[in-house]
Amino acid sequence: MEEEAEMADLLEGFERKTIKTAGAEIVLSHGGKGPPLLLMHGNPFTHVCWHKVAPRLAQEFTVVLPDLRGYGDSSKPDGGADHAPYSFRSMADDQVEVMKKLGFDKFQAAGHDRGARVLHRMCLDHPETVTRAVFMDMLPQHHLLNNVTKSWGVFSWHWFFMVQPNPMPETMISADPEFFIRRKLSKTAQGTSFFDPRALAEYIRCIKNPRTVYGMCEDYRATFGVDLDMDTADFQAGKKVTVPSMILWGEKGGVGRNHDAAAIWSHYATRIERTATVPSGHYLQEECPDETYAELRKFFVAH
């Protein structure tokens, strides 16, 4: 297929694979040599969003790039009445299982946006599995949803739109999916100019699948429900991320402009070894790949 050929060009040397987990079928690309490193994408992306940094990291690590359930070419199960199949716990369990089937019982990991939320839950549920973690341009949803501000609500409008009951957001997004994704990705004056056209075409291809739109919306519906319930219980019990961690964000994005990321994360993680920024908006690894690669490499080779 033409799309697969273009993806091979973007991720040269990576092998595409499908792994069946207890609740989904996860499509991924993996390549490189060395210690295992899991990289998880955000919304509305696929694993291709790592194409500017993954090949370089693969020189020193075995890099695993999955499509989260509901996204890309991974399966999109029914969410049910409580949307629990799209909880970050379900997504985290997928990836722990994927890594185990690839032969890795322990691994380092980074997540961007929704992928960082999956990683947050993974560190809470599987602290013995994740050895080092990087949370990229993400603040815990427990903090955000308990401290909703005008600036965050306006900037993150899609949270409140996509959480609406099916089929309203799905119908509206699928009426013009390419317009929606281009508009959503245009968070700064640069618009989508820093995205590789082949990667952007891949994101557009995937969002034109109505089932992908459903999966994305279920992700947000779970966030406001079962995910927040889990987070609240953990927060009240004083349960925090104990894995050695790094908080990395774009200084020009919503996190950098509107929040004190280091202070907020101090309430959710006990071993923050480094906080850092890159001169980007929200999409660090695609807008500032050199700086993002350097920060990730520095942290993951440090131990």
Side-chain angles (χ1 to χ4, degrees):
M1 291 175 58
E2 183 178 346
E3 294 89 353
E4 289 191 7
E6 289 189 347
M7 293 311 101
D9 290 342
L10 285 171
L11 290 165
E12 187 175 356
F14 279 68
E15 177 187 348
R16 190 175 173 92
K17 192 179 186 76
T18 300
I19 293 181
K20 185 173 180 59
T21 70
E25 290 189 356
I26 302 299
V27 172
L28 59 90
S29 290
H30 66 103
K33 57 185 178 181
L37 175 59
L38 173 68
L39 303 179
M40 293 180 285
H41 67 83
N43 175 285
F45 299 112
T46 73
H47 72 274
V48 169
C49 75
W50 299 103
H51 73 96
K52 293 181 181 179
V53 300
R56 282 184 275 184
L57 289 168
Q59 295 172 18
E60 298 177 275
F61 301 94
T62 299
V63 179
V64 181
L65 310 172
D67 287 345
L68 299 175
R69 67 161 68 189
Y71 290 82
D73 290 319
S74 290
S75 62
K76 288 90 178 168
D78 288 337
D82 65 355
H83 320 293
Y86 287 88
S87 69
F88 296 125
R89 172 167 287 164
S90 295
M91 293 185 183
D93 288 348
D94 279 340
Q95 301 312 322
V96 169
E97 194 172 345
V98 161
M99 294 300 280
K100 187 166 291 190
K101 289 188 175 183
L102 289 173
F104 306 123
D105 291 326
K106 295 178 181 293
F107 50 88
Q108 301 184 105
H112 172 251
D113 185 80
R114 311 303 286 183
R117 301 186 188 286
V118 177
L119 180 56
H120 187 188
R121 175 47 57 187
M122 188 184 293
C123 289
L124 292 171
D125 288 357
H126 306 277
E128 74 291 345
T129 299
V130 183
T131 58
R132 290 173 80 76
V134 176
F135 301 99
M136 295 171 57
D137 217 70
M138 184 279 276
L139 299 173
Q141 63 267 2
H142 175 269
H143 171 83
L144 292 172
L145 295 177
N146 281 286
N147 296 274
V148 175
T149 63
K150 177 183 174 183
S151 60
W152 180 70
V154 171
F155 186 78
S156 298
W157 56 269
H158 60 284
W159 284 57
F160 304 96
F161 169 61
M162 296 175 77
V163 73
Q164 297 304 312
N166 180 35
M168 190 188 84
E170 286 90 338
T171 301
M172 296 177 74
I173 293 170
S174 291
D176 195 340
E178 183 169 346
F179 168 82
F180 176 84
I181 198 168
R182 286 183 180 275
R183 183 66 188 86
K184 185 177 183 297
L185 296 181
S186 298
K187 293 186 183 295
T188 67
Q190 294 183 79
T192 58
S193 62
F194 53 82
F195 289 99
D196 185 295
R198 296 168 296 175
L200 186 57
E202 173 71 352
Y203 308 147
I204 292 170
R205 176 185 73 84
C206 291
I207 203 170
K208 285 184 176 179
N209 177 356
R211 197 66 185 173
T212 300
V213 177
Y214 167 78
M216 290 180 179
C217 292
E218 283 293 284
D219 174 7
Y220 282 83
R221 288 190 276 254
T223 302
F224 280 70
V226 290
D227 285 320
L228 184 58
D229 290 344
M230 293 179 212
D231 295 342
T232 301
D234 285 340
F235 190 80
Q236 291 176 347
K239 187 176 182 180
K240 299 180 181 181
V241 172
T242 57
V243 172
S245 302
M246 175 181 178
I247 313 302
L248 178 65
W249 66 94
E251 63 184 25
K252 301 175 184 175
V255 172
R257 295 199 316 268
N258 299 323
H259 305 274
D260 185 340
I264 292 169
W265 267 103
S266 69
H267 298 290
Y268 294 89
T270 63
R271 297 179 65 187
I272 298 174
E273 294 187 351
R274 179 171 172 78
T275 62
T277 65
V278 299
S280 75
H282 181 49
Y283 307 114
L284 289 70
Q285 66 269 41
E286 295 189 272
E287 185 178 350
C288 288
D290 294 342
E291 297 91 339
T292 301
Y293 161 73
E295 287 292 348
L296 291 175
R297 182 188 179 279
K298 185 186 305 180
F299 183 76
F300 286 128
V301 301
H303 74 301

